[in-house]
Amino acid sequence: MSAPLETRELRPPPLEGGGRPATITLGFRQWGRRNAAGDNTVLVCPALTGDSNLGQWWPGLLGPDRALDPQRDHIISIDVPGGSHASSGPGHLDTDGQPWGERFPVLTVRDVVSLQRSLLHELGIDRLRLVVGGSLGGMQALEWAVDQADQVDAAVVIAAAARQSAWARAWNHIQRLALASSDNLALARQIAMLSYRHWDNLNERFAPQDTDRTVASWLDHHGERLKQRFNPISYRHLTELMDSHDVGRDRGGVAQALGQCPVPALILGIESDLLYPPCDQQALAEHLPNATLRWLDAPQGHDAFLIEQRRVNALLLSFRRHLRNGQAQSLELRA
Ligand SMILES: CC(=O)SCCNC(=O)CCNC(=O)[C@H](O)C(C)(C)COP(=O)(O)OP(=O)(O)OC[C@H]1O[C@@H](n2cnc3c(N)ncnc32)[C@H](O)[C@@H]1OP(=O)(O)O
Ligand SMILES: N[C@@H](CCO)C(=O)O
């Protein structure tokens, strides 16, 4: 399901890392209509290299009778600022007509959420029925729930953690080294792909005797594809954006920040996720007072939220039914 790309230029709030560009443009797409009560908006937050074009990367969740249903919901998705899509980023022109390049400020997840909030406010949206995201999108969804608990009715946090672990920062560090040492975005993506898949999945897919479709050619393919669609400075900035994620920062730590968040949340973990492993979602669910923890028993690893769309859709539908029924109806345990 396609939706036209829209853009809006904003005066950004002060950024966490200091600095305040005169303007930032946000690119976004909308599906469905706002209802008269203005209480049916669902914000879907993209992951690292994804964009606002939900119909392209999450088609199994968007459509009539699906978890994101434009007949019932007003759905909005916003390109991550600092990235390589329609929102301002290093590859875009600054007001002086020159590309931002290295001058583009490194944003934090909180900055992204506060920019999203400014955009929604400009559009007259002050309440979210639901905020949803996987991976970097899950970090944004969680930050929304913690920071704007009085404006968010529910959150779905998929394959994410309360804060970026040392393990996840280490994967980002070596990707930035690949970028710094040889300007090698393709190599950075290949490194990242290993954190997005479980070894069982790769071992099963790429048998040693298959000389045409090797794991090496699969990695090469993904590296080359990213080179075609992403700005290397944006990519580095977005890895730093992920590393900024910590809902406990300046809030008394993770336990306190989550403990004070009453928002009903579906915490969806992927059992084979090597990047944000099940212990990350367990910790989230332990601290969030109104969390429902569910598992996607999928073999692929972290990227399963993009691959097993039918099952992710079923889990979200079940959570949304559960919310509509005043949480009286029990949830299916597994998809
Ligand atoms: C939330 C967001 O917004 S995130 C944005 C989502 N999109 C991306 O991440 C873009 C990159 N794509 C991917 O990572 C994956 O394709 C996913 C996660 C979307 C789907 O995963 P899978 O179904 O396992 O697909 P897979 O990793 O095999 O990728 C398929 C591609 O690899 C190619 N491929 C598969 N095996 C091989 C091989 N051995 N050698 C060369 N190429 C290969 C396929 O031809 C296909 O190419 P195409 O996408 O250019 O048509
Ligand atoms: N593979 C996805 C998810 C990574 O977290 C992406 O490139 O955005």
Side-chain angles (χ1 to χ4, degrees):
M1 282 187 96
S2 62
L5 177 68
E6 300 174 63
T7 56
R8 189 66 77 102
E9 195 174 86
L10 303 170
R11 166 99 177 106
L15 302 174
E16 253 202 317
R20 190 176 187 184
T23 61
I24 282 191
T25 297
L26 291 186
F28 59 100
R29 291 172 207 262
Q30 308 182 75
W31 295 259
R33 286 173 178 276
R34 290 177 66 203
N35 63 15
D39 66 356
N40 68 331
T41 297
V42 175
L43 173 66
V44 184
C45 306
L48 180 68
T49 67
D51 63 6
S52 58
N53 199 357
L54 277 188
Q56 197 258 320
W57 59 265
W58 243 4
L61 278 84
L62 179 68
D65 299 323
R66 299 206 174 137
L68 308 168
D69 181 349
Q71 289 172 349
R72 181 189 55 205
D73 304 315
H74 165 239
I75 302 153
I76 181 162
S77 186
I78 306 169
D79 289 333
V80 179
S84 271
H85 298 106
S87 293
S88 297
H92 292 238
L93 299 184
D94 193 357
T95 41
D96 60 7
Q98 297 300 312
W100 275 100
E102 296 287 355
R103 294 177 302 146
F104 194 83
V106 174
L107 303 174
T108 65
V109 173
R110 285 188 200 177
D111 291 329
V112 170
V113 167
S114 100
L115 283 161
Q116 291 169 338
R117 198 164 157 239
S118 303
L119 173 67
L120 294 182
H121 185 71
E122 288 237 338
L123 298 175
I125 301 162
D126 289 314
R127 170 139 228 102
L128 292 177
R129 176 174 283 181
L130 184 70
V131 55
V132 187
S135 195
L136 175 59
M139 298 176 196
Q140 296 164 55
L142 184 65
E143 185 60 37
W144 262 100
V146 169
D147 196 56
Q148 303 295 327
D150 54 341
Q151 294 177 7
V152 173
D153 292 339
V156 176
V157 178
I158 307 172
R163 69 168 163 230
Q164 182 81 331
S165 63
W167 171 248
R169 278 186 277 122
W171 281 100
N172 280 341
H173 171 71
I174 53 175
Q175 291 179 64
R176 286 192 293 267
L177 277 184
L179 284 169
S181 58
S182 50
D183 195 19
N184 202 331
L185 180 60
L187 176 59
R189 182 61 163 180
Q190 294 196 26
I191 293 166
M193 290 308 292
L194 296 182
S195 71
Y196 300 156
R197 300 303 167 112
H198 191 275
W199 52 79
D200 279 342
N201 180 243
L202 296 186
N203 290 341
E204 199 172 283
R205 284 181 61 179
F206 303 109
Q209 64 275 14
D210 189 343
T211 49
D212 290 335
R213 308 281 288 175
T214 63
V215 71
S217 69
W218 176 78
L219 285 171
D220 288 344
H221 178 82
H222 278 289
E224 288 307 312
R225 282 288 304 273
L226 193 72
K227 252 172 71 179
Q228 290 157 15
R229 70 185 176 95
F230 232 79
N231 177 306
I233 304 172
S234 283
Y235 190 81
R236 178 162 53 73
H237 279 215
L238 294 193
T239 64
E240 289 173 4
L241 172 68
M242 288 175 98
D243 287 354
S244 77
H245 175 60
D246 179 357
V247 289
R249 186 172 62 252
D250 303 329
R251 294 181 178 133
V254 162
Q256 188 168 322
L258 294 179
Q260 290 173 355
C261 174
V263 174
L266 172 64
I267 305 300
L268 181 52
I270 296 162
E271 290 184 348
S272 56
D273 191 341
L274 302 178
L275 185 58
Y276 299 108
C279 56
D280 284 344
Q281 292 85 50
Q282 265 150 5
L284 263 180
E286 256 165 46
H287 292 301
L288 275 170
N290 210 352
T292 302
L293 177 62
R294 291 293 176 264
W295 298 106
L296 186 64
D297 174 15
Q300 298 91 347
H302 182 68
D303 268 346
F305 75 97
L306 297 167
I307 301 169
E308 295 285 350
Q309 299 199 11
R310 193 185 52 75
R311 295 201 282 160
V312 176
N313 182 59
L315 278 161
L316 262 69
L317 270 177
S318 174
F319 178 62
R320 297 201 67 184
R321 264 196 303 272
H322 171 74
L323 293 171
R324 278 200 297 277
N325 296 340
Q327 311 193 16
Q329 179 195 313
S330 66
L331 278 164
E332 292 295 320
L333 276 178
R334 280 161 191 267

